[in-house]
Amino acid sequence: MRNYGISFKLWAAIIAMTLLLIVFILIFQTEFLYDFYYKLEMEQLEKDCLRLSRLIARGQYNTTIPYYSVMRRVNDIIIVTGRDGKVTYVEGTNQYKLGDRFGLRYIGNILKGETVHEKNKMIRNPYSVWPKEMDTILVGVPVKKTANITQENKQRLNEEYGIEAVKRPEISEAVYIITTLEYMQTTIDAIRKQFSYIFITAIILASAASYFLSQGFSKPLKLINNAALEISKGNYDTKINLRSSREIKELGNTINNLAKQLTRVEQIRREFIANVSHEIRTPLSYLQGYSEVLHDGLVESEEDRKKYLEIIMDETARLKKMVNEILQLSQIEAGFIQLQLVPFSMDEMIRNTIDKLLPYASKRNIGIEFMNMSGDALTCFADENRIKQVLINLINNATKHSYDYGSILISAYRQSENIYVCIRDFGEGISEVDLPFIWDRFYIVDKKKSENSTGLGLAIVKNIINAHGCEISVKSVNREGSEFCFYLPEYNEEI
Ligand code: ADP
């Protein structure tokens, strides 16, 4: 099937419907009218014929007086024949002459006293009153003359054949009237003509209606299509303003929202790539610089050589960590990561993490303490591995930014079906200026101080907590310390 546009299909459908309706009405009208007129005409003709036959029977008219003047309608043919079918009177046609035979087909029936009808007889004679072929109807009736019987004959007939025979009229002639259905045909022709005008008008109207209707459909669709094309080319600020029906408007809004979403995604992507390439370039240039120095033998002392190698090793480690974290972050942000929700004990997890990190903290004489404020088992329903990562990141940060001989306090408690965890340190703290930005990717407060930092840790932490539908917050005072608090849903056995 060919791929026609909406406009054409709509037009075709409306036209087809109009056509069907008109043809249906036309057939109904003409057929109905034809039957109606036919019946009417036939009845009239029969009446005329009988009247004529009675007049002839009474001898009130004879063939020398034209019947025409009495009852003949224009174009009617009147033929009177004897019992033998010989024409004794003809009016309205010159196809038959006096003495010709007519109606031998009907005479049998007429002599039996019957009335004959014939429909659709064609008169083909070019010299006739009707030059072209016409539908006609013929009616023929007998002329019944009551026999002139003498009294004694009557007596005799009555005795021989019974009273009926006396009354039986004698059939002397046959009268035919033939009429055209011209009037009917012209009426039907007129109706047909009318309908053809109606049809043409209907087509014009339907075309106009379908044009406006389809414009109403296809114009907004074209607009939406163009907008979608623009969006696919990367012009995300494309907007569609439609004044159309509800569904089409909704489609337009969906496309607008899509464009908005794409703009956001594109912005995140650009920022991310810009950040990543910027952040990776720094360690790479370190690596390149120091390895070139070493390669060219420009290092004088063994001490320097060691120092440079250490820098190279540190930067490589940082780069590796960064690449891992970037991968992780991008997966979480893109929503590719499915959380593996399981019930686990939060206090157990905190204790295990402390055990793991305490050796590093102890090196700087930093103590880590944990307090379960609720006193009983705190069971979370979350992604165990990722929450472990959150704890490691937060405790590591607290250790990193604590002063030597400092302490870190971790507390956990239950509140309105959530488990809260807070990690408090008494270290450097974060200035008010930096505080709003610490969750951003690659945001590092003091670049010189943070060794092996990528600025991605807190971004990952926040993403993991948010992915659970929960929140993380920070309170910090510069040089006094910080407190990071987050919560997770408590495990409810009933669910
Ligand atoms: P990184 O992975 O480099 O540590 P983070 O995203 O974890 O980066 O932290 C971002 C910044 O927030 C860090 O540069 C650090 O200065 C600051 N920060 C994070 N935790 C603390 C804390 N407990 N005390 C002081 N500053 C902190």
Side-chain angles (χ1 to χ4, degrees):
M1 209 182 123
R2 281 191 53 191
N3 214 356
Y4 293 111
I6 285 186
S7 319
F8 178 77
K9 280 186 185 166
L10 206 71
W11 179 81
I14 290 178
I15 295 292
M17 242 168 63
T18 319
L19 194 82
L20 209 74
L21 206 71
I22 287 174
V23 167
F24 181 74
I25 294 174
L26 182 70
I27 290 172
F28 183 77
Q29 276 270 350
T30 48
E31 286 298 303
F32 175 78
L33 267 180
Y34 191 90
D35 280 358
F36 178 75
Y37 278 127
Y38 181 79
K39 249 188 208 151
L40 219 68
E41 198 71 25
M42 191 67 101
E43 275 167 22
Q44 187 58 41
L45 214 59
E46 212 176 306
K47 264 188 210 156
D48 288 352
C49 230
L50 285 169
R51 222 174 112 213
L52 202 58
S53 113
R54 276 196 299 275
L55 291 175
I56 294 168
R58 281 190 230 130
Q60 283 172 343
Y61 285 87
N62 60 44
T63 49
T64 55
I65 303 167
Y67 297 115
Y68 172 76
S69 57
V70 184
M71 57 192 353
R72 183 177 161 267
R73 290 172 301 177
V74 188
N75 291 346
D76 274 3
I77 295 172
I78 299 171
I79 295 171
V80 183
T81 69
R83 290 175 64 96
D84 54 0
K86 271 192 180 159
V87 176
T88 55
Y89 176 83
V90 60
E91 179 72 61
T93 177
N94 45 20
Q95 199 180 351
Y96 300 100
K97 290 178 191 64
L98 294 180
D100 284 353
R101 303 237 179 214
F102 178 83
L104 295 178
R105 271 191 285 164
Y106 320 118
I107 196 76
N109 291 52
I110 286 178
L111 290 180
K112 278 188 212 153
E114 291 166 12
T115 302
V116 293
H117 304 273
E118 197 166 276
K119 188 184 163 185
N120 293 339
K121 193 171 182 289
M122 301 289 182
I123 302 280
R124 289 158 205 272
N125 189 345
Y127 306 109
S128 81
V129 195
W130 311 302
K132 55 177 179 175
E133 279 191 5
M134 278 285 171
D135 283 358
T136 58
I137 32 180
L138 168 147
V139 174
V141 297
V143 177
K144 297 172 184 173
K145 275 186 182 158
T146 320
N148 210 358
I149 308 168
T150 56
Q151 205 52 38
E152 54 204 71
N153 269 351
K154 210 187 239 177
Q155 189 75 35
R156 188 177 51 82
L157 276 170
N158 197 14
E159 278 163 15
E160 274 179 36
Y161 304 106
I163 193 79
E164 284 311 308
V166 182
K167 279 189 177 168
R168 189 187 292 152
E170 184 194 323
I171 293 169
S172 59
E173 284 153 306
V175 182
Y176 302 97
I177 300 184
I178 304 164
T179 194
T180 56
L181 296 175
E182 195 182 14
Y183 172 62
M184 194 160 94
Q185 273 176 337
T186 43
T187 309
I188 285 171
D189 281 351
I191 289 175
R192 287 210 177 113
K193 213 182 229 169
Q194 264 178 17
F195 268 86
S196 60
Y197 293 146
I198 291 173
F199 180 64
I200 290 165
T201 319
I203 285 195
I204 292 168
L205 285 179
S207 296
S210 60
Y211 174 77
F212 287 114
L213 262 175
S214 64
Q215 284 296 304
F217 281 123
S218 60
K219 215 169 158 190
L221 285 181
K222 269 180 204 156
L223 278 174
I224 289 172
N225 188 34
N226 287 342
L229 275 175
E230 282 299 307
I231 290 168
S232 72
K233 280 184 207 155
N235 300 329
Y236 298 130
D237 44 4
T238 311
K239 265 208 126 233
I240 312 167
N241 283 316
L242 290 179
R243 265 200 261 150
S244 184
S245 48
R246 185 169 51 80
E247 291 85 347
I248 291 179
K249 250 191 220 160
E250 274 172 12
L251 179 61
N253 287 341
T254 310
I255 299 272
N256 280 342
N257 281 337
L258 185 72
K260 250 190 239 162
Q261 287 288 332
L262 283 172
T263 313
R264 207 180 70 83
V265 169
E266 177 64 10
Q267 199 187 332
I268 289 174
R269 192 183 68 85
R270 277 195 196 146
E271 257 175 43
F272 200 91
I273 288 177
N275 283 347
V276 166
S277 28
H278 177 257
E279 292 305 319
I280 283 180
R281 207 178 290 137
T282 318
L284 279 180
S285 48
Y286 273 123
L287 289 180
Q288 194 184 16
Y290 287 110
S291 47
E292 268 173 17
V293 169
L294 286 170
H295 175 264
D296 295 347
L298 295 174
V299 195
E300 279 154 16
S301 65
E302 179 63 16
E303 205 180 313
D304 279 352
R305 204 180 69 90
K306 232 178 170 179
K307 202 174 96 192
Y308 290 166
L309 276 173
E310 252 163 42
I311 292 173
I312 291 175
M313 274 157 69
D314 281 352
E315 286 302 310
T316 315
R318 200 162 82 88
L319 206 58
K320 192 178 161 196
K321 185 174 169 240
M322 195 185 281
V323 169
N324 276 336
E325 285 178 346
I326 286 168
L327 212 67
Q328 219 171 9
L329 194 62
S330 67
Q331 279 178 331
I332 300 173
E333 280 192 349
F336 289 149
I337 295 293
Q338 278 253 309
L339 294 174
Q340 309 284 323
L341 300 179
V342 288
F344 62 87
S345 159
M346 182 51 94
D347 47 340
E348 227 179 276
M349 184 186 270
I350 294 172
R351 278 178 223 284
N352 287 341
T353 315
I354 292 174
D355 285 349
K356 211 160 122 189
L357 299 180
L358 202 56
Y360 300 102
S362 299
K363 274 188 194 166
R364 289 171 49 217
N365 294 306
I366 297 165
I368 307 177
E369 276 175 48
F370 169 55
M371 258 173 66
N372 180 343
M373 316 274 270
S374 297
D376 56 353
L378 298 171
T379 315
C380 285
F381 190 63
D383 189 317
E384 200 175 354
N385 283 329
R386 289 183 191 282
I387 299 305
K388 206 181 276 173
Q389 200 185 344
V390 167
L391 278 176
I392 293 173
N393 269 345
L394 291 176
I395 298 172
N396 254 339
N397 276 353
T399 317
K400 249 198 306 195
H401 300 284
S402 277
Y403 301 120
D404 291 356
Y405 299 96
S407 61
I408 296 164
L409 297 180
I410 303 171
S411 55
Y413 56 95
R414 172 189 302 109
Q415 193 182 302
S416 51
E417 300 191 348
N418 284 320
I419 305 292
Y420 282 77
V421 179
C422 291
I423 294 119
R424 170 113 176 79
D425 70 68
F426 302 89
E428 301 159 357
I430 306 158
S431 72
E432 262 179 66
V433 190
D434 293 312
L435 205 55
F437 303 109
I438 57 163
W439 309 108
D440 291 355
R441 280 182 246 115
F442 302 111
Y443 193 81
I444 298 170
V445 173
D446 188 346
K447 294 218 176 197
K448 273 175 233 145
K449 261 192 219 162
S450 358
E451 87 282 333
N452 204 12
S453 52
T454 56
L456 290 168
L458 286 181
I460 292 175
V461 163
K462 190 173 162 53
N463 263 295
I464 291 174
I465 299 296
N466 288 162
H468 284 80
C470 300
E471 296 291 341
I472 181 164
S473 62
V474 60
K475 274 187 249 163
S476 189
V477 177
N478 211 4
R479 273 185 265 275
E480 281 183 25
S482 324
E483 185 177 39
F484 287 84
C485 287
F486 67 86
Y487 68 86
L488 287 169
E490 189 188 9
Y491 178 61
N492 188 342
E493 274 176 57
E494 284 161 31
I495 298 172

